[in-house]
């Protein structure tokens, strides 16, 4: 894997070239296998895209990295530390250095927009109110929602909620930012803003970004590296250019958005004709 | 037959597992509780949420329970020609039984369900996960203040219920049915002891712990779906009611 950003030089330790590294990860939920032998390495300081069909476990991957769920086998390392081996306190210490944008925003419904963004600051740092105000309004300005500071989450549209959540994710200036579908439900203008924001945050603050998304074309413009997941494994990795010219039909199908190909658009089901003719309900 | 036994066995097992989980949860809540007073505002907010929100329903029900008690008590006592004892009879039954038990049932229905559905919804919309990822312990930040708010609110609500109910008894007994005002109050003052008051408030406190714990436990562990939240709410009311009545028997047996 080659990173065009070339900003791999992290701390002195050479083993820390990769900020996040998954090795041979197996993971099953409710007896259903999500990952089998997953290997991913995220280069420090890069924007890495994670793509894949719906339901392949992209959100689950982020939950593994933040230690919300644990791998059945294999290792999940963040900054060289195995997440599974951490106690509650150490895990919380690690998470303070991560910011995560949830797929649906996950704003706290009993706080207004301003307080939602201020939440991590108030919980973790005793800052003077003036500074809190300045930090929160700056971040809200960055996502174009300074004017919405007084609204409650219920008064926001889905796209606005996601932008507020983005402001909240960056308010603590994390080292690692995880984005779950940052572009879903955004209009083209906010999409462009958020795209540039992801890239500029990454470069200005030396953050490592992991972006889960379906929007192949958009992410290709800003990603240094991409992974395509399917069937519990990595099916392709490389720079956006590598993936465009990838020989594998799976990758081609995904990059070009075709319904027919090796990846089934359908959730596993009995044969369609049989099921339609036989009037019984699907089992 | 064996199927029936197997069914009973598995539901007993499920019950015991749940009880074990509840006990562990309770332990953790207690362990974290002293820390919550470092941020009293969070607790005070929840006392307001649980307490002030239940106030109207508690007072309305208290008034009517008291008025019914006035009618029934008068009817019973006048058969023995001792209507004047209405005050003391009503006061004791309210302090020792009706006050704490009815308040707890109402509390479970009003504040308990609100707590459970709020927490369940926070779980279903990833708010709990979001806090965890922000390195904020949701037990500390969300669960414990809500639990303590309920625990503090319950004895206060019990006291208010009893006072309003006594007013209701007095209204019916003295104003409508003509029991002697002086006798009504003076007998009450002579016969009711501090121990009776303590018994009522102890029950209120214990029921408050039980009902708040059940509500936050069910809400926090709700399945993260709309249906799961609904189920958690229902379970809160049912389990709280049963637990309250069972605990009431145990407490009465101990304190009598
Ligand atoms: N709590 C859960 N219980 C049972 N199965 C789950 C649970 N969470 C996820 N799964 C399963 O794990 C698989 C991966 O889910 P995940 O949410 O990670 O997918 P995703 O790649 O993020 O999909 P999308 O792009 O639609 O968000 C899915 O097939 C889903 O059925
Ligand atoms: Mg997802």
């Amino acid at each position: 894997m080659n990173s065009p950003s070339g900003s791999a030089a992290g701390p002195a330790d050479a083993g820390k070239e990769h900020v996040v590294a998954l090795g041979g990860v197996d993971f099953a939920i409710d007896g259903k296998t999500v990952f089998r032998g997953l290997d991913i390495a995220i280069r420090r300081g890069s924007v890495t895209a994670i793509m894949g069909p719906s339901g392949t476990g992209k959100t689950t991957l982020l939950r593994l990295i933040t230690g919300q769920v644990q791998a059945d086998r294999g290792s999940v390392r963040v900054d060289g530390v195995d997440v599974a081996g951490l106690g509650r306190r150490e895990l919380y210490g690690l998470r303070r250095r991560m910011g995560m944008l949830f797929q649906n925003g996950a704003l706290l419904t009993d706080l207004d927009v301003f307080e939602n963004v201020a939440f991590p600051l108030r919980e973790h740092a005793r800052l003077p109110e003036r500074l809190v105000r300045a930090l929160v309004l700056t971040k809200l300005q960055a996502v174009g929602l300074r004017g919405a500071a007084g609204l409650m989450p219920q008064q926001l549209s889905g796209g606005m909620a996601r932008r507020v959540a983005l402001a909240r994710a960056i308010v603590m200036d994390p080292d690692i930012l995880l984005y779950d579908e940052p572009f879903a439900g955004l209009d083209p203008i906010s999409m462009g803003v958020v795209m540039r924001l992801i890239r500029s945050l990454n470069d200005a603050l030396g953050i490592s970004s992991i972006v889960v998304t379906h929007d192949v074309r958009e992410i290709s413009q800003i990603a240094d590296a991409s992974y395509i997941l399917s069937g519990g494994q990595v099916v392709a990795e490389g720079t956006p250019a590598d993936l465009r010219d990838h020989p594998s039909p799976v990758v081609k199908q995904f990059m070009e958005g075709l319904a027919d190909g090796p990846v089934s658009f359908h959730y596993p089901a009995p044969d369609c004709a049989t099921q339609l003719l036989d009037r019984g309900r699907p089992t | 037959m064996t199927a029936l036994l197997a069914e009973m066995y598995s539901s007993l097992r499920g019950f015991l597992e749940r009880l074990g989980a509840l006990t562990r949860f309770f332990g953790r809540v207690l362990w974290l509780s002293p820390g919550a007073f470092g941020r009293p505002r969070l607790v005070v907010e929840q006392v307001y949420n649980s307490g002030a929100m239940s106030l109207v329903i508690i007072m309305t029900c208290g008034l009517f329970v008291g008025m019914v008690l006035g009618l029934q008590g008068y009817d019973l006592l006048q058969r023995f020609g001792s209507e004047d004892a209405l005050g003391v009879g009503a006061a004791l039954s309210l302090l020792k039984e009706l006050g704490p038990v009815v308040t707890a049932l109402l509390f479970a229905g009003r504040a308990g369900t609100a707590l459970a559905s709020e927490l369940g919804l926070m779980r279903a919309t990833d708010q709990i996960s979001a806090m965890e990822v922000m390195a904020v312990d949701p037990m500390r930040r969300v669960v414990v203040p809500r639990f303590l708010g309920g625990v503090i609110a319950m004895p206060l609500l019990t006291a208010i219920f009893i006072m309003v109910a006594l007013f209701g008894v007095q209204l019916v007994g003295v104003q409508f049915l003509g029991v002697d005002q002086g006798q009504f109050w003076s007998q009450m003052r002579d016969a009711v002891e501090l121990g009776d008051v303590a018994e009522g408030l102890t029950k209120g406190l214990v029921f408050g712990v039980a009902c708040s714990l059940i509500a936050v436990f069910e809400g926090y562990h709700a399945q993260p779906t709309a249906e799961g939240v609904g189920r958690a709410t229902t379970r809160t009311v049912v389990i709280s009611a049963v637990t309250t009545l069972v605990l009431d028997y145990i407490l009465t047996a101990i304190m009598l």
Side-chain angles (χ1 to χ4, degrees):
Chain A
M1 192 183 94
N2 54 348
S3 158
S5 77
S7 59
D13 190 347
K16 293 201 166 179
E17 180 190 351
H18 293 129
V19 62
V20 173
L22 284 80
V25 168
D26 285 5
F27 181 76
I29 187 163
D30 289 350
K32 179 177 179 297
T33 301
V34 180
F35 297 125
R36 181 170 295 142
L38 185 72
D39 291 304
I40 285 184
I42 310 275
R43 201 177 272 272
R44 188 179 300 278
S46 67
V47 173
T48 306
I50 307 284
M51 295 182 276
S54 189
T56 28
K58 302 182 298 296
T59 300
T60 309
L61 174 66
L62 298 185
R63 289 164 61 83
L64 278 166
I65 295 173
T66 52
Q68 296 175 74
V69 292
Q70 262 147 32
D72 302 328
R73 233 166 47 87
S75 69
V76 179
R77 293 175 177 278
V78 176
D79 268 346
V81 184
D82 196 333
V83 174
L86 295 180
R88 173 186 290 271
R89 192 176 290 258
E90 296 147 323
L91 185 60
Y92 274 25
L94 183 65
R95 284 176 180 170
R96 281 191 191 209
R97 299 179 20 234
M98 300 184 183
M100 176 157 170
L101 176 67
F102 279 74
Q103 200 162 354
N104 54 13
L107 296 178
L108 306 177
T109 38
D110 56 345
L111 301 178
D112 66 13
V113 165
F114 183 93
E115 285 302 322
N116 259 289
V117 179
F119 183 82
L121 294 172
R122 296 209 194 284
E123 293 297 314
H124 292 309
R126 290 236 158 279
L127 298 177
E129 189 58 34
R130 286 227 336 254
L131 189 52
V132 172
R133 251 184 89 75
L135 281 169
V136 170
L137 292 179
T138 321
K139 305 297 177 187
L140 280 175
Q141 173 77 8
V143 297
L145 288 175
R146 188 165 48 85
L151 298 183
M152 294 304 284
Q154 298 86 320
Q155 297 172 291
L156 303 177
S157 72
M160 287 164 84
R162 192 146 333 90
R163 278 148 71 200
V164 174
L166 177 56
R168 181 179 68 179
I170 59 179
V171 76
M172 291 290 281
D173 291 334
D175 302 334
I176 307 169
L177 264 171
L178 311 172
Y179 303 88
D180 198 349
E181 307 276 5
F183 309 128
L186 296 190
D187 61 83
I189 301 173
S190 348
M191 176 137 41
V193 170
V194 170
M195 254 169 59
R196 281 192 295 278
L197 190 62
I198 292 177
R199 187 72 241 185
S200 61
L201 281 170
N202 193 83
D203 299 344
L205 304 175
I207 297 175
S208 311
S209 315
I210 303 176
V211 187
V212 164
T213 183
H214 297 293
D215 298 281
V216 179
R217 197 162 323 142
E218 284 73 19
I219 197 65
S220 298
Q221 298 173 31
I222 59 165
D224 300 316
S226 314
Y227 282 87
I228 297 182
L229 307 184
S230 183
Q233 282 169 331
V234 175
V235 293
E237 58 177 287
T239 62
D242 292 345
L243 292 186
R244 243 189 320 274
D245 309 328
H246 205 280
S248 148
V250 179
V251 178
K252 212 174 191 61
Q253 184 198 354
F254 192 76
M255 300 297 283
E256 291 170 11
L258 308 172
D260 291 314
V263 177
S264 172
F265 162 67
H266 297 280
Y267 195 81
D271 178 62
C272 186
T274 333
Q275 201 175 12
L276 289 178
L277 291 176
D278 147 21
R279 289 172 215 159
R281 282 170 49 77
T283 46
Chain B
M1 190 64 207
T2 41
L4 186 68
L5 280 178
E7 178 105 342
M8 281 171 64
Y9 172 74
S10 87
S11 63
L12 181 69
R13 236 186 86 138
F15 172 74
L16 289 178
E17 272 170 13
R18 194 112 184 133
L19 196 63
L22 181 69
T23 312
R24 252 175 300 139
F25 184 82
F26 188 33
R28 196 160 152 65
V29 166
L30 284 184
W31 171 250
L32 294 175
S33 285
F37 292 103
R39 291 176 74 181
R41 254 196 65 184
L42 290 180
V43 179
V44 172
E45 253 169 40
Q46 296 308 324
V47 175
Y48 173 78
N49 271 350
S50 295
M53 302 294 172
S54 316
L55 204 55
V56 173
I57 181 177
I58 293 280
M59 290 175 69
T60 315
C61 295
L63 182 66
F64 281 95
V65 167
M67 285 164 62
V68 169
L69 203 59
L71 286 177
Q72 293 280 16
Y74 182 84
D75 179 57
L76 181 74
L77 289 171
Q78 61 134 13
R79 297 181 197 185
F80 310 104
S82 45
E83 309 88 279
D84 290 347
L86 179 64
V88 60
L92 286 177
S93 54
L94 278 169
L95 268 176
K96 291 158 77 89
E97 283 302 327
L98 279 173
V101 172
V102 177
T103 308
L105 297 178
L106 292 172
F107 180 83
R110 178 68 182 80
T113 52
L115 279 181
S117 60
E118 186 191 11
L119 286 173
L121 219 58
M122 291 182 82
R123 163 83 59 199
T125 53
D126 278 340
Q127 294 181 52
I128 303 267
S129 305
M131 279 193 200
E132 280 174 351
V133 173
M134 288 187 278
V136 174
D137 184 354
M139 286 290 287
R140 252 181 246 268
R141 179 62 175 73
V142 178
V143 172
V144 169
R146 280 168 175 71
F147 168 77
L148 289 176
V151 170
I152 295 172
M154 249 301 285
L156 300 177
L157 290 172
T158 306
I160 292 171
F161 180 93
I162 293 172
M163 284 191 309
V164 176
L166 276 179
F167 172 77
V169 176
Q170 189 268 155
L171 189 69
V172 169
V174 176
Q175 313 294 337
F176 300 172
L177 300 174
V179 175
D180 182 68
Q181 172 99 295
Q183 287 290 331
F184 182 90
W185 292 114
S186 70
Q187 284 204 15
M188 194 191 301
R189 206 164 46 221
D190 293 344
V192 175
E193 290 163 10
L194 201 60
D196 300 319
V197 179
E199 189 179 333
L201 291 184
T202 308
K203 281 186 176 178
L205 184 68
V206 174
F207 296 162
V209 170
C211 293
S212 307
L213 180 71
I214 290 166
V216 291
F217 176 78
E218 290 295 337
Y220 193 67
H221 293 101
Q223 292 290 319
T225 58
E227 193 197 2
V229 176
R231 196 164 333 122
T233 314
T234 313
R235 289 175 60 99
T236 299
V237 180
V238 174
I239 298 177
S240 297
V242 174
T243 308
T244 298
L245 297 175
V246 172
L247 279 178
D248 186 40
Y249 174 77
I250 296 173
L251 286 176
T252 308
I254 292 174
M255 291 196 290
L256 221 55

